[in-house]
Amino acid sequence: NAGVTQTPKFQVLKTGQSMTLQCAQDMNHNSMYWYRQDPGMGLRLIYYSASEGTTDKGEVPNGYNVSRLNKREFSLRLESAAPSQTSVYFCASSGVLVTNNYGYTFGSGTRLTVV
Amino acid sequence: GDSVTQMEGPVTLSEEAFLTINCTYTATGYPSLFWYVQYPGEGLQLLLKATKADDKGSNKGFEATYRKETTSFHLEKGSVQVSDSAVYFCALTIYNNNDMRFGAGTRLTVKP
């Protein structure tokens, strides 16, 4: 099925461990995004990539790094996980740089717990 | 900064009841407005959108009208079903801005 695929779906980390969340889309979209979802706070943008080869910080980038590996793939890395990074992470993509007329396509999320 | 405020939930309704979920926005430019729906265990799905003042977005019986004078984009449905139980998010983007801002979400539960 066409769409955005995220892996893994669930992960438990110990404080200080590192991990990479993977995201791939097969819709030939230019723009990709990483959000985190926390109770009562909606979704907050961590990083985005407007096109292959570019990445920019969003609202809450501290503690994260990203890589736009190619047009299809956009990964999110936690170098040293902290309990405050316990959240549900969503990857999304959009077909155009200017997003005012188009919605995003979201993946099904990664539930991360840091203990 | 640009932001969206939604009515707090949770909202519990009986089947066939009328639904309103309030959404107001603050924006420096001219935003496009969206409603997304999230079913349990899934990602967000675009429900409807409106890109300019007085536009009405509609889908699956849901409607929302972009009201510039009241900076609002309230979601309505005339007769809800159990299958509408989900979390609903209001969101906005500003032209040429790659940051979509989301409200906190409103959980809707519809009982038979």
Side-chain angles (χ1 to χ4, degrees):
Chain A
N1 292 335
V4 178
T5 303
Q6 290 183 237
T7 56
K9 292 189 181 300
F10 301 95
Q11 184 71 49
V12 178
L13 291 178
K14 295 182 178 179
T15 298
Q17 286 186 316
S18 63
M19 78 162 294
T20 299
L21 281 65
Q22 307 288 350
C23 175
Q25 53 90 10
D26 58 6
M27 297 169 287
N28 201 35
H29 283 172
N30 288 320
S31 300
M32 297 185 73
Y33 312 84
W34 277 104
Y35 282 88
R36 59 178 289 173
Q37 183 182 26
D38 300 295
M41 302 188 72
L43 278 75
R44 292 180 293 169
L45 183 65
I46 304 171
Y47 271 93
Y48 68 93
S49 171
S51 61
E52 186 178 355
T54 69
T55 61
D56 285 286
K57 295 178 180 180
E59 184 182 358
V60 288
N62 291 344
Y64 305 95
N65 286 298
V66 291
S67 296
R68 183 74 182 267
L69 304 171
N70 47 56
K71 192 171 186 179
R72 290 187 63 249
E73 298 173 288
F74 188 40
S75 62
L76 178 71
R77 183 160 179 84
L78 287 70
E79 291 290 353
S80 179
S84 60
Q85 295 178 304
T86 294
S87 187
V88 181
Y89 291 85
F90 286 100
C91 179
S93 69
S94 174
V96 292
L97 173 64
V98 177
T99 59
N100 62 327
N101 284 327
Y102 297 87
Y104 291 4
T105 301
F106 281 85
S108 58
T110 296
R111 185 174 295 275
L112 175 67
T113 302
V114 183
V115 297
Chain B
D2 304 326
S3 66
V4 169
T5 302
Q6 289 181 237
M7 65 182 286
E8 292 187 14
V11 174
T12 303
L13 296 173
S14 298
E15 207 165 22
E16 299 184 1
F18 184 86
L19 168 71
T20 299
I21 300 178
N22 290 338
C23 172
T24 58
Y25 68 88
T26 301
T28 53
Y30 299 97
S32 291
L33 302 172
F34 303 83
W35 276 101
Y36 284 84
V37 58
Q38 184 181 31
Y39 299 103
E42 298 183 10
L44 279 70
Q45 302 174 25
L46 179 63
L47 181 59
L48 53 84
K49 65 183 180 184
T51 58
K52 61 183 186 297
D54 299 326
D55 270 1
K56 177 185 284 188
S58 62
N59 186 25
K60 299 181 180 179
F62 292 89
E63 294 183 339
T65 301
Y66 188 148
R67 301 287 189 197
K68 186 178 179 182
E69 63 276 12
T70 55
T71 63
S72 65
F73 192 55
H74 305 322
L75 182 68
E76 297 181 337
K77 187 174 185 181
S79 175
V80 294
Q81 305 300 311
V82 172
S83 57
D84 293 327
S85 298
V87 181
Y88 292 82
F89 291 90
C90 187
L92 67 77
T93 60
I94 303 295
Y95 181 84
N96 220 19
N97 186 331
N98 279 285
D99 187 356
M100 184 171 287
R101 297 295 175 102
F102 290 85
T106 302
R107 182 176 298 278
L108 170 66
T109 301
V110 180
K111 297 188 173 181

